[in-house]
Amino acid sequence: AARGYGATHGKGKAEGQKPEPTGVVTALEKEAGTPQIVTCAGDIPTYAEITKARGLIKGSYAAGLKVYANSSTIWNKLANILDANKRPIFVADPINGGVGRILGMTVKEDASMLDGEVLYSNAPRGYAMNINKEMTMLPEEHVKERKADYCAYAIMDGNVTTTKAHALLKEATA
């Protein structure tokens, strides 16, 4: 969960805070003019907004492109989008490593995404994660209390290598 948060919403080196990986959403929102972000006009994205966000991804990053959203956004918004012929554009497909497909792209459930956010991303080509120490589990036993505490940690950092491999579709903020 922490790795997913870092890759999507990590703040990077924020003033007065402990450094985190820089997340894709964070990098897209900090970009001047936010050219890789489409804001929805309503509560549920329209077919046109879905395709507009997809169109922001450069052709060389199209192979391997995935769609990331949390469970609520997938099942309450994306699964309800219809094309002009009133057919759903979301197709349930849990076999291919996600929960479904939209416009041929695998939709992956990602709890680090906020409600109303849909991230189009070719993560292998647009994000780099440097792992200095894999996840380590350390137990601490308290004999008298007959309890054991477990601590897990990892050391890693990450950053966006190119914003052109990502696009964000999000709800308008109030």
Side-chain angles (χ1 to χ4, degrees):
R3 185 176 182 179
Y5 161 80
T8 61
H9 290 85
K11 294 175 184 69
K13 294 182 180 182
E15 187 68 33
Q17 294 182 340
K18 189 174 183 179
E20 300 176 347
T22 301
V24 174
V25 173
T26 303
L28 295 179
E29 289 177 338
K30 285 184 178 179
E31 201 170 22
T34 60
Q36 297 298 107
I37 297 179
V38 173
T39 302
C40 297
D43 187 37
I44 294 180
T46 64
Y47 184 80
E49 290 166 339
I50 291 282
T51 56
K52 181 178 180 182
R54 169 56 187 92
L56 295 176
I57 305 292
K58 299 297 178 194
S60 60
Y61 300 110
L65 190 61
K66 305 241 183 322
V67 177
Y68 299 90
N70 68 22
S71 181
S72 176
T73 301
I74 291 170
W75 298 111
N76 295 317
K77 297 181 187 295
L78 297 180
N80 295 312
I81 299 171
L82 304 175
D83 66 12
N85 295 318
K86 305 289 185 208
R87 294 179 302 205
I89 64 168
F90 179 87
V91 178
D93 182 13
I95 295 172
N96 291 315
V99 295
R101 299 178 85 65
I102 286 184
L103 304 176
M105 297 172 288
T106 300
V107 177
K108 294 189 158 258
E109 190 173 321
D110 186 335
S112 71
M113 297 299 294
L114 302 177
D115 284 344
E117 289 182 335
V118 180
L119 179 65
Y120 297 74
S121 178
N122 186 331
R125 303 234 3 246
Y127 193 84
M129 174 93 32
N130 181 17
I131 301 172
N132 294 321
K133 181 160 182 65
E134 286 286 350
M135 183 70 68
T136 302
M137 180 78 70
L138 298 173
E140 181 180 330
E141 308 241 352
H142 306 279
V143 177
K144 286 186 178 183
E145 294 87 7
R146 295 186 181 168
K147 292 182 181 179
D149 294 328
Y150 296 92
C151 178
Y153 76 96
I155 300 172
M156 58 185 68
D157 195 10
N159 206 340
V160 174
T161 57
T162 178
T163 58
K164 300 304 179 201
H166 316 280
L168 180 66
L169 176 65
K170 68 178 191 173
E171 290 179 356
T173 53

